[in-house]
């Protein structure tokens, strides 16, 4: 069986308020039958939330910027992952330039609310955090972050 690729749409940085420079860290989830795509932008220092139509067309729902809150770890956002914990959906992101990570709760409309941030003060070895992965071990979720 072959898989065919069809281009649906191309998004451009700066068009309709999109901040997509250095796009990395794509993640997705389905909330209440609606698909959402989360896109980190390393150079724009932002996370964008898109609702996906049934034909795959993305519509911008929310953009979060590192400058929105000094606690956000979005400077050089490099990777993201969606996890389920206790019936709630969360998005995790690693940040290479902030040397840390952020945790976001995903709302019923796909939007993100910041719940926690971890910044390396020099003891966590999160320098240039660029990769992360969550693992459920016996009902506990552990987050592994890779950096330099």
């Amino acid at each position: 069986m072959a898989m065919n690729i069809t281009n649906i749409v191309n998004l451009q940085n700066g068009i309709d308020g999109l901040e997509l420079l250095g796009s990395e860290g794509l993640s997705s989830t389905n909330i209440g039958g609606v698909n959402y795509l989360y896109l980190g932008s390393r150079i724009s220092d932002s996370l964008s939330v898109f609702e996906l139509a049934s034909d795959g067309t993305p519509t911008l729902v929310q953009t979060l910027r590192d400058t929105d809150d000094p606690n956000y770890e979005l400077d050089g956002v490099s990777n993201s992952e969606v996890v389920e914990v206790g019936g709630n959906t969360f998005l995790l992101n690693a940040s290479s330039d902030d040397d840390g990570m952020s945790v976001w709760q995903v709302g019923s409309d796909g939007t993100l609310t910041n719940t926690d941030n971890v910044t390396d003060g020099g003891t966590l070895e999160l320098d240039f955090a660029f990769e992360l992965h969550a693992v459920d071990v016996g009902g506990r979720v552990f987050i592994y972050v890779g950096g330099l």
Side-chain angles (χ1 to χ4, degrees), residues 64-104:
L64 295 159
R65 297 163 193 82
D66 189 60
T67 56
D68 291 342
D69 186 313
N71 296 310
Y72 291 175
E73 298 292 315
L74 295 175
D75 189 8
V77 62
S78 55
N79 193 9
S80 65
E81 183 169 341
V82 174
V83 298
E84 299 287 328
V85 179
N88 295 301
T89 305
F90 295 89
L91 179 83
L92 314 171
N93 77 268
S95 173
S96 59
D97 295 340
D98 270 336
D99 301 330
M101 63 167 292
S102 288
V103 179
W104 309 84

Side-chain angles (χ1 to χ4, degrees), residues 85-138:
V85 179
N88 295 301
T89 305
F90 295 89
L91 179 83
L92 314 171
N93 77 268
S95 173
S96 59
D97 295 340
D98 270 336
D99 301 330
M101 63 167 292
S102 288
V103 179
W104 309 84
Q105 185 161 7
V106 179
S108 60
D109 59 356
T111 59
L112 301 173
T113 301
N114 187 243
T115 61
D116 201 8
N117 304 284
V118 177
T119 302
D120 187 0
T123 60
L124 299 177
E125 303 297 332
L126 292 177
D127 190 31
F128 201 74
F130 62 87
E131 186 69 45
L132 57 73
H133 187 67
V135 179
D136 185 326
V137 178

Side-chain angles (χ1 to χ4, degrees), residues 10-23 41 44 46:
N10 297 305
L11 303 175
Q12 293 182 334
N13 184 65
I15 305 297
D16 296 326
L18 295 177
E19 297 185 27
L20 306 175
L21 286 178
S23 298
S41 297
S44 296
S46 63

